């Protein structure tokens, strides 16, 4: 976890902070007069759910262009938006976590459902975010916009406006408490309807070959020793083995392409982050080695890989 | 693992209960009745709060900063929707280029032509008005009205001509009995009568 591989962590932090700053700056710039550029609420227009609401009430489909672009990129690359851009997700990820201390133990590596029950490999994950998304879409169809409670970009935008007005953004504070107690990306993986929307699109696109993706995480099955360090490093806590052997792409619909697993992986070339098919970051120094594999087999069994 | 399981479950239960309590409280408050809820121009239709994203961009964009996120007093269903509060400023919808509608990312605030904008209608509370109540020639609301919607009789007592009033809030904003103005803008469907046909003021 040194040098270039570790750099992905800091590069991503820098990108995340830059997008948080951009988000706040845009909310600040949204004061009178309305600028000539269409940039003011760009974050809200990039949000496919908000865009859907806009289409529902104004029929302005072209207005949704930024959202269509995001959906297209998500189809090709997965939830990169959540890992690199979403200001709320980034801020939650950087929240000092009470759970992180407990995550040091392998017993916590198995994926859990919303009630905290351990889920076996291959079983269906119970995610609140999908029913929530379905409910929001049905409400939207009926004519009620309930996005204001759950949409992360709306919540974040309102929080910034509230701070500018000098009042306290209660909802976002509750989210930070949630992040500190049950894990930094709990919101993103379990509740976020925007995340659910992007996950669904990403799932649809997960059969596409890695070469077609602007940004892809690729796993070399032959090099993997099943040590489970990727699962430990994953801020989203989603790594099992659910990758597609057919395309070679790590086809986790929930993967936000943050690259933390690549940085953590000790095996040479087992995981790599690719931009337009070109490898920009590859894991590990260690070549595959029987002894290591045996050492790690117990850990691997524990983490369900 | 065990403690994590319990913490997560409890946290969700407490969160759900808290949210339920919050909304129940809000609904109760709504029934208790509140000040009139005025909307920015183009948001007068009753299903506006179903469309609104509550993102706060219109509040941010307003030229005169006369909008605020509606607080709890207006009920859970209206929470954080934009409220036009004339105490904060006059609505300058003919000057600002409809900054609020422009800022709305879901186009929930519409853009009716200037002539069709009707935010609300002002009404004078004669018990509070110093012209009606104390016989003083005040005329402030009369002079501030850009729409000629306030007429004053020979003794300077104001009366609102409802057909001309658009509800911009200039009169309420400058009324000298501030902070409890004698002339208040109400939603068009909830205007109280000014009473008495304006024959004469008491005392």
């Amino acid at each position: 976890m040194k040098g270039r591989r570790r750099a992905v962590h800091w590069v991503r932090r820098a990108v995340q902070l830059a997008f948080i700053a951009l988000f706040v700056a845009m909310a600040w710039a949204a004061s009178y007069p309305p600028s000539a550029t269409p940039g003011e609420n760009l974050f809200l227009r990039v949000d496919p759910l908000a865009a859907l609401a806009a289409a529902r009430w104004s029929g302005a489909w072209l207005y949704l262009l930024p959202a269509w672009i995001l959906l297209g990129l998500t189809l090709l690359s997965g939830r990169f938006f959540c890992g690199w851009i979403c200001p709320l997700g980034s801020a939650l990820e950087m929240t000092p976590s009470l759970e992180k201390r407990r995550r040091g133990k392998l017993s916590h590596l198995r994926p859990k459902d919303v009630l905290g029950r351990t889920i076996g490999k291959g079983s269906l994950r119970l995610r609140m975010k999908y029913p929530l998304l379905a409910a929001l879409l049905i409400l939207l169809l009926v004519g009620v916009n309930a996005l204001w409670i759950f949409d992360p970009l709306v919540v974040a935008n309102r929080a910034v406006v509230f701070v500018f007005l000098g009042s306290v953004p209660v909802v976002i504070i509750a989210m930070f408490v949630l992040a500190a107690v049950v894990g930094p990306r709990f919101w993103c993986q379990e509740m976020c309807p925007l995340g659910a929307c992007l996950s669904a699109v990403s799932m649809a696109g997960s059969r596409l070959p890695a070469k077609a993706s602007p940004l892809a995480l690729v796993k070399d099955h032959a090099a993997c020793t099943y040590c489970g360090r990727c699962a430990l490093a994953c801020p989203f806590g989603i790594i099992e083995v659910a990758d597609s052997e057919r395309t070679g792409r790590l086809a986790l619909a929930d993967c936000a392409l943050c690259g933390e697993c690549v940085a953590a992986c000790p095996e040479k070339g087992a995981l790599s982050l690719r931009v337009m098919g070109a490898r920009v970051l590859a894991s590990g120094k260690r070549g595959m080695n029987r002894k290591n594999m045996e050492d790690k087999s117990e850990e691997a069994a524990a983490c369900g890989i | 693992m065990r403690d994590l399981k319990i913490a997560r479950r409890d946290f969700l239960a407490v969160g759900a209960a808290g949210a339920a309590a919050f909304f129940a409280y809000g609904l109760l408050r709504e029934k208790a009745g509140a000040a009139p809820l005025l909307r920015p121009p183009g948001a007068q239709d009753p299903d506006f709060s179903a469309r609104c994203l509550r993102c706060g961009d219109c509040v941010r964009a307003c030229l005169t900063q006369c909008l605020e996120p509606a607080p709890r007093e207006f009920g859970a269903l209206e929470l954080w929707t934009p409220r036009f509060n004339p105490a904060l400023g006059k609505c300058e919808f003919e000057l600002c280029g409809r900054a609020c509608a422009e800022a709305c990312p879901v186009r929930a605030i519409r853009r009716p032509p200037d002539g069709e904008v009707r935010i609300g209608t002002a009404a004078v509370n004669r018990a509070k008005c110093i012209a009606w109540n104390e016989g003083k020639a005040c005329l402030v609301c009369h002079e501030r009205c850009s729409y000629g919607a306030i007429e004053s009789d020979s003794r300077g007592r104001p009366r609102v001509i409802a057909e001309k009033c658009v509800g911009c809030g200039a009169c309420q904003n400058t009324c000298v009995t501030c902070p409890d103005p004698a002339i208040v803008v109400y939603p068009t469907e909830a205007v109280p009568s000014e009473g008495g046909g304006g024959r004469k003021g008491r005392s």
Side-chain angles (χ1 to χ4, degrees):
Chain A
M1 273 246 268
K2 270 181 220 153
R4 190 161 171 214
R5 271 170 292 125
R6 194 68 192 134
V8 72
H9 175 82
W10 296 111
V11 168
R12 191 169 68 96
R13 278 286 180 274
V15 171
Q16 286 179 310
L17 287 171
F19 274 110
I20 291 177
L22 184 68
F23 186 73
V24 174
M26 275 185 172
W28 178 255
S31 63
Y32 190 85
S35 74
T37 59
E40 279 174 4
N41 42 42
L42 193 59
F43 274 93
L44 291 176
R45 290 174 59 203
V46 144
D47 179 344
L49 298 178
L52 216 57
R56 168 74 177 73
W57 280 293
S58 70
W61 289 96
L62 199 64
Y63 190 67
L64 320 187
L65 196 62
W68 286 118
I69 292 172
L70 175 63
L71 286 182
L73 289 174
T74 303
L75 189 71
L76 293 175
S77 286
R79 282 176 68 174
F80 71 94
F81 180 83
C82 308
W84 293 78
I85 298 173
C86 178
L88 183 62
S90 302
L92 291 176
E93 193 182 333
M94 291 177 219
T95 311
S97 171
L98 301 172
E99 201 225 15
K100 224 172 201 168
R101 272 185 242 144
R102 290 188 291 233
R103 280 188 70 189
K105 295 173 206 156
L106 281 172
S107 58
H108 299 302
L109 284 180
R110 302 198 78 164
K112 296 183 185 72
D113 66 14
V114 287
L115 298 175
R117 292 176 306 212
T118 306
I119 305 168
K121 187 180 152 198
S123 67
L124 190 74
R125 284 184 187 215
L126 182 66
R127 295 296 199 203
M128 265 190 279
K129 63 183 174 192
Y130 292 116
L132 201 58
L133 174 66
L136 288 179
L137 291 179
I138 290 169
L139 280 173
L140 208 60
L141 214 63
V142 173
V144 178
N145 189 349
L147 292 179
W148 64 278
I149 311 173
F150 297 108
D151 189 290
L153 296 175
V154 174
V155 169
N157 196 71
R158 191 171 54 223
V160 174
V161 172
F162 269 46
V163 170
F164 288 157
L165 289 175
S167 45
V168 186
V170 186
V171 175
I172 209 161
I173 290 172
M175 282 184 177
F176 282 117
V177 172
L178 187 81
V181 174
V182 289
R185 287 291 195 162
F186 177 80
W187 164 267
C188 308
Q189 280 311 333
E190 299 286 352
M191 297 173 84
C192 181
L194 178 58
C197 170
L198 296 181
S199 274
V201 173
S202 152
M203 216 182 289
S206 63
R207 294 285 161 89
L208 297 171
K211 271 184 220 158
S213 304
L215 185 66
L217 199 60
V218 175
K219 182 185 170 190
D220 177 2
H221 293 269
C224 177
T225 50
Y226 302 93
C227 69
R229 283 177 206 197
C230 51
L232 258 180
C234 180
F236 288 76
I238 55 160
I239 297 187
E240 296 173 87
V241 202
D243 47 359
S244 162
E245 305 212 359
R246 251 173 305 175
T247 60
R249 185 176 165 192
L250 204 73
L252 295 166
D254 289 339
C255 175
L257 296 134
C258 68
E260 297 287 341
C261 54
V262 183
C265 176
E267 299 301 335
K268 199 168 191 172
L271 288 169
S272 56
L273 202 57
R274 297 180 190 211
V275 175
M276 304 306 296
R279 198 185 276 210
V280 290
L281 183 81
S283 65
K285 282 202 185 98
R286 196 165 75 176
M288 191 172 74
N289 159 336
R290 264 290 18 117
K291 191 166 166 287
N292 281 338
M293 225 175 139
E294 278 158 14
D295 285 351
K296 300 295 172 191
S297 58
E298 224 170 281
E299 287 178 32
C303 68
I305 299 196
Chain B
M1 190 154 89
R2 192 151 189 87
D3 56 352
L4 176 67
K5 182 160 99 183
I6 288 165
R8 187 169 292 186
R9 184 183 294 166
D10 286 0
F11 194 91
L12 290 172
V14 168
F22 179 72
F23 277 85
Y25 173 70
L27 287 168
L28 287 175
R29 287 298 293 266
E30 186 181 30
K31 277 187 183 155
L37 180 53
L38 295 166
R39 298 292 192 192
Q44 272 65 44
D45 47 326
D47 62 341
F48 169 75
S49 64
R51 294 200 304 268
C52 175
L53 204 52
R54 287 113 163 122
C55 66
D57 273 357
C58 52
V59 173
R60 189 83 195 114
C62 179
L63 167 62
T64 58
Q65 291 293 292
C66 65
L67 299 178
E68 62 182 7
R72 273 200 312 272
E73 287 83 80
F74 294 96
L77 297 177
E78 313 295 342
L79 188 68
W80 301 329
T81 53
R83 176 197 178 209
F84 165 45
N85 183 353
L88 299 174
K90 178 199 175 195
C91 176
E92 292 281 11
F93 65 90
E94 290 182 87
L95 299 179
C96 69
R98 305 290 174 82
C100 53
E102 209 53 30
C104 181
V106 293
R107 302 281 163 100
I109 303 176
R110 292 177 175 142
R111 298 192 59 150
D114 285 353
E116 287 171 28
V117 167
R118 209 137 204 257
I119 302 165
T121 307
V124 179
N125 182 335
R126 292 177 183 174
K128 288 182 194 162
C129 176
I130 61 167
W132 281 96
N133 205 17
E134 297 169 28
K136 292 174 179 163
C138 170
L139 295 178
V140 168
C141 55
H142 178 105
E143 284 170 358
R144 267 304 294 275
C145 182
S146 330
Y147 300 92
I150 296 176
E151 57 175 8
S152 300
D153 62 16
S154 54
R155 283 192 274 170
R157 298 176 303 188
R159 227 183 325 249
V160 175
I161 306 165
E163 300 76 48
K164 289 188 182 172
C165 177
V166 299
C168 72
C171 51
Q172 179 178 346
N173 186 247
T174 42
C175 180
V176 295
T177 65
C178 161
D180 187 15
I183 183 162
V184 170
V185 181
Y186 295 89
T188 313
E189 67 280 3
V191 192
S193 103
E194 289 190 349
R199 250 162 273 117
K200 57 180 174 180
R202 273 162 293 156
S203 75

